[in-house]
Amino acid sequence: MKNYCVVPLLIIFISSALVSCSISNKTSPSKQLYNQPGTLFHRILVQLDNQATEAKVAALKNHSFGRVKTSNLVEKHANSIVELYEAGLLENYKTNDYVNADKVFKSKPELLELLIQLFPIDSYALLRKVQSVENLDQDLILTAIVSMNLDPTLVFDESASGLENSVTPLINSAGIVLYNQNEDSTNTVRFKKLNELQWRDGLSLVWEPVYGALSGSLVYLDEDTEYEVEIMVKSESDEQRYSFTFKTRANSPPIDPNKVYYLSEIYNGGQLNLEELDIYGSEDGYAKIIGDGTIIDAGDEFLSAVHIGRQSYVMLENFIIKGGKRYGIFADRTHNIWIKGCDVSEYGRKAGVYKNGKAYESENSSSPINYDSGIYLQKTGVSVIENCEIHNQNLSANHWGNGHPNGPSAILVWAYHPDEALRGQMIVRNNRLYGSDTNRFNDVIEGRQNSWRNGGFVRDSAIYGNYLAFANDDLVELDGGQRNVLFYNNELTQGYTGISVAPNRLGPNYIFHNYIHDLGDERGSEWTAIKAGGLMSQPAGQNLILENYIYTNRNGLAASNFNGDNTFWVHMQNNITITKNIGNASGFCIYDEQKYYKSRSINDLCFNESIVGARYEFNLDDIVENELSDDETYIEMLKDNRPTLLESSPTSLIPNFSNQTSTEPIQFSMSPKELENKTWLLDTKELKFTSFSQQYEYGQTFKETRHTLTLTGNNWIKAPIHYEITEKTELKLTLEIVGVPEIVGIGFETDNKQNANRIIQFFGTQAWGVDAQGFFNAPATEITFPIGKYIQGHVKYIVFVLDYDDVKKSQNNASVTFSDIKLTISN
């Protein structure tokens, strides 16, 4: 065995000083910052104010904008753009009184539609200003709004002015919205528990241009606790104080004692249909169904294995669910659903035929199999999914080599309930959602209708503490409505993209304290850890990306075209991003071709292994780099160590976010009933094997059968698993050894570092690891070992060890065969 210094999990301290370090690769001179097209045109034309109209038109046409959509606007509308300018309608809407608007738009209504195209982010604010102009036909404005696919309810006074400021509490967080605000104002937030005297600082609310609001979130709150929050908003001429009291939600719902059911008493096979059983609860007490070992097995005879339908105030606990033609659990246009501790597998349609690499139910099917899911909450809000395991779906999605991936997801969410008060407010926490290297999801968590403002999680939702793995597209889609949507403390691995926020149609969202690593689809191809885009085509939300740990091959943050637009708006702070490869569009901590002028990167640690330094395609004037980005020794320490805390100096602390428990290893609690039924069995078809901790020297790994693995040579390999070892867990296997190697054993690790206390040694001439040699009789033995007496807690990798350093490769005849490995609970 090779000897390496084993570095334990570290507390990572991000820079004590905010200084701008040298950036090793600027890629190219910074392009002009991307503002809205109308602003760019105004800047050009104001310099030609004394020239004739024809000269202004020619100047626009001769200008190089470098952006296809902007150039297309000039090509099609140069004369009209100049006409808007000369009428004084390209000036800032905040200072423009639009005195000529009635004459211009009455004679040429199409100019109003053009004005909207020129100011997409400010379109609603601009239209509200135009709507206030006297003598302007309101039907003309409505026609333009509908033509541009905008929402008239956000423009006209009677609806736009009637929105109430609000605080929306979840269990550990709360979203805040203040309407009728000014973009140029500043604000401070402070909060405290109602019974405390000491106030705590919150992160300032951010501007949201669609509603003209200030929005933001409080995080890491205690459940079932009363708080008060105070926001001071200051403008040039005014100061306004807003105060709220609220109570966070309880960690579990109230249960109606008269509506507690045991699954074995109400389930007789096939589909469990709550509508037919007339099971529902109320705000004062949920109806609760307890899984007591009975397995729901619906096969493919029913659309879903569990049909909640429109029943509300329902809790499902500790279900084991198999089957469902499309869904394991399905709810439709309901609310207050609580799904806890469920195991969902073997759901979704199977391929009847493949066409161009995509799966179809049959030869006559008009579209590929898509949107099947372990849990689908359709037009459903105010719900919780926690401590569930969703895996082993019936179909693997296609990869991008065959076009946009189609196939199943683990969780599918559309939180657009018909009642506004019940929209969003979704909590998805502490779940294990995983495919395998050969059986991948499309997206692990997917949002329906996620190109529009009321799609996906919609608003005031929290996704945290989850493990997401094995997707051929995104590991999670937050796309769509993202007002105060929180994504934090999650681990993401093995996807083409980690987190998608393209487009963010409202915002702000908060992506923080996540661990994103080892990306790649089934081909090993990947794009970026975080994907954004669509700001100008589907305005307009801000993404706050804070204190994440990203270690990936290609990019940390990059864009995807949405409706031909790859512009995005981000505030990044205190992130660690390490990339490996380098190329025209890879190896960047931030890859931003458009460089939207409001985006910022503050105190981010950026390092590319290939150039041994920071690498950006971003507006370099808006980067304040972390000083440790140039510290190679520190970077080397980071590479194999997942940080347990991201901590900043006082100058870069993020109020309410920094100095919190951030990327602690994710723990998943199980009920006693879950543990009794929990067994892990070696299945080589479902596992991806890679070398472990730089110990592999040579040799081969053979998957003899689905339950048998043989190693030769000097060979240490690992495979990802996710299992909770308790004191009652037993390890069972059959072991066969040829030769006299130094160490033969099995390890259960939490990272890629060797730890003698986590490797069980069954044979060898070198004593290393937990001594279990008394359980093995050469050359082959069936073994039952009390693993729970030596190792406990959540396991991320199983490690197979055949160590034989002291013999030359040509003389090594050692091999070991592991068969029928099982982790189970002893009686």
Side-chain angles (χ1 to χ4, degrees):
M1 180 184 69
K2 292 178 287 185
N3 292 315
Y4 290 95
C5 177
V6 178
V7 182
L9 289 175
L10 299 175
I11 294 178
I12 303 302
F13 293 93
I14 288 189
S15 171
S16 60
L18 278 175
V19 295
S20 181
C21 301
S22 61
I23 297 174
S24 302
N25 192 316
K26 297 183 180 182
T27 69
S28 63
S30 291
K31 300 176 184 177
Q32 182 182 19
L33 299 187
Y34 194 7
N35 209 315
Q36 297 178 93
T39 301
L40 299 177
F41 298 151
H42 185 271
R43 288 175 181 171
I44 295 169
L45 294 172
V46 76
Q47 300 177 50
L48 308 170
D49 214 23
N50 295 324
Q51 297 192 27
T53 299
E54 294 77 10
K56 295 187 182 84
V57 172
L60 279 183
K61 290 183 174 181
N62 291 330
H63 191 88
S64 177
F65 291 98
R67 296 176 177 87
V68 173
K69 296 190 77 169
T70 306
S71 298
N72 286 343
L73 282 170
V74 171
E75 182 179 347
K76 295 179 181 178
H77 305 291
N79 289 71
S80 296
I81 292 168
V82 172
E83 187 173 354
L84 286 170
Y85 172 77
E86 292 181 337
L89 297 177
L90 286 191
E91 295 176 14
N92 190 324
Y93 78 92
K94 288 179 286 187
T95 58
N96 195 332
D97 57 12
Y98 287 140
V99 291
N100 295 320
D102 57 336
K103 298 176 183 177
V104 173
F105 296 142
K106 280 180 181 179
S107 61
K108 293 186 176 181
E110 68 274 11
L111 290 183
L112 179 55
E113 294 182 19
L114 176 59
L115 189 64
I116 295 170
Q117 294 181 66
L118 300 184
F119 295 97
I121 293 177
D122 291 329
S123 54
Y124 284 107
L126 184 151
L127 281 164
R128 286 191 283 266
K129 193 70 173 282
V130 171
Q131 191 269 339
S132 67
V133 174
E134 293 183 7
N135 303 319
L136 191 57
D137 186 355
Q138 300 296 290
D139 287 340
L140 182 152
I141 299 173
L142 180 60
T143 299
I145 291 170
V146 173
S147 176
M148 299 306 297
N149 293 315
L150 298 175
D151 184 351
T153 66
L154 300 183
V155 176
F156 293 101
D157 286 341
E158 56 269 25
S159 55
S161 62
L163 298 169
E164 295 184 359
N165 300 329
S166 65
V167 174
T168 304
L170 299 180
I171 296 174
N172 300 117
S173 60
I176 305 169
V177 184
L178 303 180
Y179 294 98
N180 301 311
Q181 299 299 315
N182 188 327
E183 180 179 4
D184 297 326
S185 65
T186 61
N187 70 90
T188 57
V189 177
R190 64 176 190 167
F191 68 100
K192 68 181 182 70
K193 293 179 182 179
L194 203 58
N195 60 356
E196 291 181 341
L197 297 176
Q198 186 67 40
W199 290 89
R200 287 182 276 169
D201 290 334
L203 184 58
S204 296
L205 309 183
V206 302
W207 173 246
E208 180 272 284
V210 175
Y211 285 87
L214 292 171
S215 296
S217 291
L218 300 174
V219 298
Y220 294 119
L221 305 179
D222 292 339
E223 66 273 5
D224 198 21
T225 301
E226 289 186 294
Y227 285 89
E228 55 183 318
V229 59
E230 179 180 279
I231 305 107
M232 295 294 296
V233 180
K234 297 181 180 180
S235 63
E236 288 184 1
S237 59
D238 187 33
E239 180 173 308
Q240 182 71 43
R241 177 177 176 270
Y242 299 88
S243 297
F244 304 90
T245 59
F246 65 92
K247 186 176 183 180
T248 53
R249 297 181 182 177
N251 217 21
S252 58
I255 303 299
D256 185 339
N258 297 315
K259 292 189 174 183
V260 176
Y261 310 89
Y262 288 90
L263 185 58
S264 61
E265 298 173 352
I266 62 173
Y267 177 69
N268 296 310
Q271 182 187 67
L272 178 69
N273 191 318
L274 271 60
E275 288 185 325
E276 289 183 356
L277 293 169
D278 199 28
I279 293 176
Y280 63 92
S282 68
E283 184 177 1
D284 296 327
Y286 280 51
K288 181 178 180 178
I289 307 174
I290 302 172
D292 52 0
T294 299
I295 298 176
I296 297 175
D297 193 344
D300 61 359
E301 298 180 26
F302 302 91
L303 183 72
S304 63
V306 177
H307 180 76
I308 297 173
R310 300 192 183 183
Q311 307 297 82
S312 59
Y313 296 104
V314 171
M315 183 176 191
L316 311 179
E317 184 174 84
N318 295 342
F319 280 24
I320 301 173
I321 300 170
K322 298 181 183 295
K325 183 174 182 178
R326 294 199 61 180
Y327 317 114
I329 300 173
F330 176 64
D332 181 27
R333 280 169 279 189
T334 187
H335 56 91
N336 291 92
I337 303 302
W338 202 299
I339 301 170
K340 179 179 181 179
C342 293
D343 187 296
V344 183
S345 64
E346 300 175 26
Y347 61 87
R349 291 166 286 179
K350 298 178 181 179
V353 64
Y354 282 88
K355 303 176 185 179
N356 299 319
K358 294 192 175 188
Y360 292 74
E361 276 192 90
S362 69
E363 189 67 47
N364 297 324
S365 300
S366 60
S367 57
I369 295 172
N370 205 20
Y371 298 124
D372 295 355
S373 192
I375 299 174
Y376 181 22
L377 302 184
Q378 176 176 264
K379 291 190 176 182
T380 294
V382 199
S383 296
V384 176
I385 303 171
E386 65 174 344
N387 297 325
C388 291
E389 188 161 334
I390 303 177
H391 58 103
N392 198 30
Q393 68 280 9
N394 284 332
L395 179 72
S396 185
N398 64 279
H399 55 69
W400 274 97
N402 295 315
H404 191 297
N406 293 103
S409 56
I411 294 175
L412 184 60
V413 169
W414 186 10
Y416 182 59
H417 190 277
D419 184 342
E420 166 64 34
L422 299 172
R423 291 175 189 165
Q425 303 167 77
M426 307 294 289
I427 297 173
V428 179
R429 62 176 183 173
N430 302 334
N431 301 284
R432 291 193 299 277
L433 313 172
Y434 59 92
S436 70
D437 195 43
T438 57
N439 189 25
R440 289 181 176 252
F441 295 113
N442 174 3
D443 307 306
V444 178
I445 298 178
E446 185 171 10
R448 287 291 281 129
Q449 302 297 325
N450 57 13
S451 64
W452 61 299
R453 183 163 43 86
N454 288 320
F457 285 90
V458 182
R459 67 174 180 90
D460 299 299
S461 296
I463 305 100
Y464 57 100
N466 303 285
Y467 173 80
L468 286 69
F470 295 105
N472 271 336
D473 197 15
D474 307 320
L475 289 161
V476 61
E477 284 186 333
L478 302 180
D479 316 350
Q482 296 179 60
R483 169 178 279 175
N484 292 325
V485 170
L486 313 175
F487 187 82
Y488 65 102
N489 284 28
N490 302 286
E491 180 179 355
L492 298 89
T493 187
Q494 289 296 303
Y496 184 74
T497 296
I499 303 166
S500 175
V501 293
N504 182 348
R505 290 214 56 185
L506 192 57
N509 63 36
Y510 296 82
I511 299 169
F512 58 102
H513 296 169
N514 299 289
Y515 177 42
I516 309 171
H517 64 101
D518 297 314
L519 294 177
D521 65 8
E522 67 181 75
R523 305 165 300 170
S525 299
E526 66 183 80
W527 173 227
T528 184
I530 302 173
K531 177 185 73 179
L535 177 69
M536 295 293 174
S537 62
Q538 297 286 349
Q542 183 176 174
N543 307 288
L544 285 87
I545 302 171
L546 313 171
E547 300 187 349
N548 299 281
Y549 183 91
I550 298 169
Y551 188 16
T552 188
N553 288 313
R554 288 180 63 87
N555 296 307
L557 168 68
S560 174
N561 280 328
F562 185 86
N563 288 346
D565 172 33
N566 61 356
T567 317
F568 56 77
W569 180 10
V570 295
H571 176 96
M572 297 188 68
Q573 188 168 341
N574 295 359
N575 299 282
I576 293 174
T577 303
I578 303 174
T579 61
K580 299 178 183 179
N581 299 342
I582 188 170
N584 290 335
S586 66
F588 297 94
C589 295
I590 305 175
Y591 182 58
D592 179 10
E593 293 181 285
Q594 302 302 338
K595 302 178 178 64
Y596 180 56
Y597 79 104
K598 289 186 178 181
S599 290
R600 301 287 184 271
S601 171
I602 299 173
N603 200 42
D604 289 323
L605 187 149
C606 173
F607 187 83
N608 175 268
E609 292 182 356
S610 296
I611 66 169
V612 194
R615 182 164 160 84
Y616 289 95
E617 176 68 38
F618 195 65
N619 173 36
L620 302 183
D621 292 334
D622 283 326
I623 295 175
V624 180
E625 213 183 353
N626 184 280
E627 65 177 7
L628 292 174
S629 292
D630 295 329
D631 189 331
E632 293 180 40
T633 301
Y634 182 75
I635 299 299
E636 287 300 317
M637 181 187 68
L638 286 176
K639 287 181 183 179
D640 289 322
N641 290 277
R642 170 183 172 176
T644 61
L645 185 67
L646 296 175
E647 183 171 329
S648 303
S649 70
T651 54
S652 61
L653 285 175
I654 304 172
N656 187 216
F657 285 78
S658 297
N659 288 337
Q660 301 281 356
T661 300
S662 54
T663 51
E664 289 290 346
I666 300 166
Q667 301 293 330
F668 300 97
S669 60
M670 295 184 183
S671 68
K673 181 61 67 177
E674 285 180 289
L675 288 169
E676 288 175 14
N677 293 296
K678 187 65 181 172
T679 296
W680 181 87
L681 179 66
L682 173 69
D683 187 342
T684 60
K685 185 178 178 181
E686 297 295 324
L687 295 179
K688 178 181 180 180
F689 297 95
T690 56
S691 61
F692 175 70
S693 188
Q694 305 180 55
Q695 289 295 327
Y696 174 82
E697 285 289 332
Y698 60 86
Q700 293 181 288
T701 301
F702 300 97
K703 300 178 181 181
E704 304 284 0
T705 69
R706 292 190 68 162
H707 304 300
T708 302
L709 188 73
T710 296
L711 275 60
T712 65
N714 190 7
N715 190 354
W716 295 53
I717 62 168
K718 71 178 186 298
I721 67 170
H722 290 276
Y723 189 87
E724 196 86 13
I725 296 180
T726 73
E727 60 182 357
K728 293 185 178 181
T729 304
E730 288 184 338
L731 169 64
K732 297 184 178 182
L733 73 152
T734 298
L735 188 62
E736 183 177 356
I737 298 174
V738 174
V740 285
E742 294 167 355
I743 306 171
V744 172
I746 297 179
F748 298 93
E749 293 283 2
T750 59
D751 54 28
N752 195 42
K753 290 293 185 181
Q754 60 196 29
N755 185 338
N757 294 325
R758 303 188 73 90
I759 303 289
I760 311 303
Q761 182 185 9
F762 292 111
F763 180 84
T765 60
Q766 175 183 334
W768 191 85
V770 177
D771 185 5
Q773 297 193 57
F775 289 80
F776 175 74
N777 293 316
T781 305
E782 292 185 4
I783 297 170
T784 298
F785 180 75
I787 186 72
K789 292 183 179 179
Y790 301 91
I791 300 172
Q792 292 183 17
H794 188 66
V795 174
K796 287 180 56 180
Y797 301 104
I798 184 169
V799 179
F800 300 90
V801 178
L802 173 59
D803 191 86
Y804 205 179
D805 291 313
D806 287 347
V807 65
K808 295 180 180 179
K809 180 179 179 180
S810 60
Q811 298 174 343
N812 188 349
N813 65 347
S815 69
V816 57
T817 299
F818 303 92
S819 302
D820 300 321
I821 299 175
K822 181 187 293 186
L823 291 168
T824 188
I825 304 299
S826 63
N827 296 323

